[in-house]
Amino acid sequence: MSGGACQGLPISLPKTHGQPLWLLAELTYKCPLQCPYCSNPKDFAGFNDNELSTQEWVRVFEEGRKLGAVQLGFSGGEPLVRQDLDVLIREARQMGYYTNLITSGVGLNERKVESFREAGLDHIQVSFQASDETVNNMLAGSAKAFQQKLKMAREVKAQGYPMVLNFVTHRHNIDQIDRIIELCIELEADYVELATCQYYGWAFENRQQLMPTRAQLERAERITNEYRAKLAAQGHPIKLIFVTPDYYEERPKACMNGWGQVFLTVTPDGQALPCHSARMLPIEFPNVRDMSLQQIWDESPGFNHFRGDDWMQEPCRSCDEKDKDFGGCHCQAYMLTGDATNADPVCSKSEHHGLILNARAEAELPATEPLLFRNERNSRVFYKG
């Protein structure tokens, strides 16, 4: 055979990734609340009129199962805005997915919880903004939000679901961590995620107003550990999960367990992403209306962009931890340095780590700017700009 032994034959490339185990369906960017730490893109208003149809979502779910996805999250915005949610749940359950609804609880009622249970929904996570009604409603932008959340959390429990609660903590509520935990105990929660705010999307715009001091963070973690010990001694089954913000770490997290390794997000308008924040990056990502999930996952330049380590610069390229953290978060590197191929500045080895140190120092100062709330009007400013 002349011209090279492989001429005319398919080229077998080394496998750089596994299968997508978790599919996150961001059904809509629409939401009745205006949380200033929302991870949705700041220009979400520009995509609200182009949502995938019921049939398109069902096809995405089918293609995801063929790829090997086993867990399906329904997210948003607020997924309850979609009038076809029970249909999507039923279709996904029949395909064999473990299904999870991530909701604020606003728009939920007893009938819907029952309908979702009958459709086969496995898991509901209800999010709160605070344990204090005034703070909760201020952050949510709704005078009725807190009481609605309490009612729906109790309803979810009453209908046999595990009680899974999420609190995003920040300087407006972290000093009430004991009251947050007491509320979770009162609601008979099984799992509680105390997730200190991570600075993406709207949270990045509000970082100065949201980021707690190191002392606040250490106090909150200490109190959480004290509650863990006390509750364990009482035989209480509640699980408290405390998530530390990247900005107070010296090594980056292995973001999404590696780029395009196990996680696949589909946005309301069909863009496929290796993480829910990747839309901000100057990378062309494919759309499920144009390509199958198999083509997207295995062949698209967007999903292959940061697989392997050929993209790495120093200090990542020669770092003995690169197989653990994969260079950290590319979105964070892009937001802070303007170059997604830089090492995550959270890493103390990064030449840009000073940006993180400056942010920590800034957190020690009083917030001077008002919160920028996540709403359609503010989003259209970013969409135009």
Side-chain angles (χ1 to χ4, degrees):
M1 184 182 295
S2 62
C6 294
Q7 186 174 357
L9 297 177
I11 298 174
S12 178
L13 297 175
K15 190 77 169 179
T16 59
H17 57 279
Q19 65 195 65
L21 299 177
W22 188 23
L23 175 62
L24 181 66
E26 292 186 320
L27 299 179
T28 181
Y29 285 141
K30 296 170 185 172
C31 183
L33 304 186
Q34 58 173 13
C35 306
Y37 47 76
C38 181
S39 62
N40 283 171
K42 298 190 295 291
D43 59 351
F44 71 84
F47 309 103
N48 277 345
D49 297 326
N50 194 28
E51 292 181 358
L52 296 180
S53 68
T54 305
Q55 293 72 27
E56 287 173 318
W57 275 117
V58 170
R59 176 177 57 80
V60 168
F61 300 163
E62 289 173 341
E63 293 178 357
R65 281 295 289 145
K66 288 179 182 178
L67 273 175
V70 293
Q71 182 162 331
L72 174 61
F74 296 106
S75 178
E78 174 49 69
L80 293 171
V81 172
R82 291 280 302 217
Q83 298 305 302
D84 58 354
L85 183 53
D86 57 342
V87 175
L88 296 176
I89 291 169
R90 183 174 292 106
E91 291 286 345
R93 194 69 187 89
Q94 289 174 354
M95 295 176 201
Y97 281 104
Y98 180 92
T99 52
N100 176 24
L101 174 63
I102 303 166
T103 177
S104 67
V106 175
L108 197 59
N109 56 43
E110 180 179 346
R111 179 189 59 78
K112 285 186 178 180
V113 177
E114 183 177 359
S115 173
F116 296 158
R117 180 170 52 79
E118 291 175 351
L121 183 66
D122 294 293
H123 178 116
I124 300 176
Q125 175 186 295
V126 180
S127 64
F128 279 77
Q129 281 71 31
S131 59
D132 177 88
E133 184 169 4
T134 301
V135 175
N136 186 101
N137 292 347
M138 180 275 291
L139 292 168
S142 168
K144 300 178 180 179
F146 185 72
Q147 290 301 321
Q148 169 69 7
K149 289 170 181 290
L150 288 179
K151 183 178 179 181
M152 287 304 102
R154 293 185 176 112
E155 183 62 35
V156 166
K157 184 78 173 183
Q159 294 212 28
Y161 282 102
M163 173 63 69
V164 183
L165 301 179
N166 172 270
F167 285 80
V168 176
T169 61
H170 40 77
R171 70 161 66 193
H172 291 274
N173 64 8
I174 197 168
D175 290 334
Q176 285 76 50
I177 195 75
D178 52 343
R179 297 179 208 169
I180 290 174
I181 296 173
E182 288 290 345
L183 175 62
C184 295
I185 295 170
E186 177 189 333
L187 291 172
E188 300 180 83
D190 297 287
Y191 300 92
V192 179
E193 184 178 31
L194 303 167
T196 316
C197 192
Q198 308 290 344
Y199 301 100
Y200 301 87
W202 294 85
F204 186 72
E205 292 295 319
N206 288 303
R207 191 181 70 188
Q208 192 219 14
Q209 299 91 322
L210 294 173
M211 189 166 166
T213 65
R214 181 180 289 279
Q216 285 180 302
L217 182 67
E218 290 176 346
R219 175 182 176 275
E221 189 165 19
R222 173 179 56 77
I223 290 173
T224 301
N225 286 333
E226 290 171 355
Y227 266 95
R228 282 173 175 157
K230 179 174 70 174
L231 291 166
Q234 296 171 355
H236 200 291
I238 190 171
K239 299 288 186 290
L240 302 177
I241 303 163
F242 190 91
V243 183
T244 303
D246 294 356
Y247 278 53
Y248 284 104
E249 301 286 1
E250 296 302 317
R251 287 289 183 274
K253 62 179 179 288
C255 193
M256 311 313 296
N257 289 311
W259 180 276
Q261 296 301 314
V262 297
F263 186 86
L264 195 160
T265 293
V266 179
T267 67
D269 59 319
Q271 194 170 42
L273 303 171
C275 84
H276 57 274
S277 296
R279 190 166 206 154
M280 74 173 73
L281 298 176
I283 296 172
E284 185 175 348
F285 290 105
N287 195 291
V288 298
R289 286 172 167 147
D290 304 320
M291 299 175 68
S292 70
L293 277 194
Q294 182 274 319
Q295 290 174 304
I296 288 169
W297 183 258
D298 289 327
E299 302 170 19
S300 69
F303 272 74
N304 282 296
H305 202 91
F306 291 114
R307 283 173 172 158
D309 56 17
D310 288 345
W311 61 270
M312 287 185 178
Q313 305 182 58
E314 294 296 346
C316 296
R317 179 171 289 277
S318 58
C319 180
D320 58 4
E321 298 180 54
K322 68 180 181 181
D323 293 329
K324 297 178 182 177
D325 59 39
F326 314 114
C329 176
H330 303 293
C331 297
Q332 201 147 253
Y334 179 71
M335 284 188 299
L336 293 171
T337 74
D339 185 348
T341 66
N342 281 331
D344 187 337
V346 163
C347 184
S348 61
K349 296 180 180 181
S350 166
E351 64 177 308
H352 302 287
H353 189 60
L355 296 171
I356 298 296
L357 300 180
N358 290 341
R360 294 177 192 171
E362 188 179 65
E364 300 293 331
L365 304 174
T368 57
E369 300 293 329
L371 285 165
L372 179 69
F373 288 98
R374 178 249 193 240
N375 56 46
E376 187 98 2
R377 177 171 54 82
N378 287 336
S379 178
R380 291 203 174 279
V381 173
F382 290 104
Y383 182 64
K384 292 178 180 177

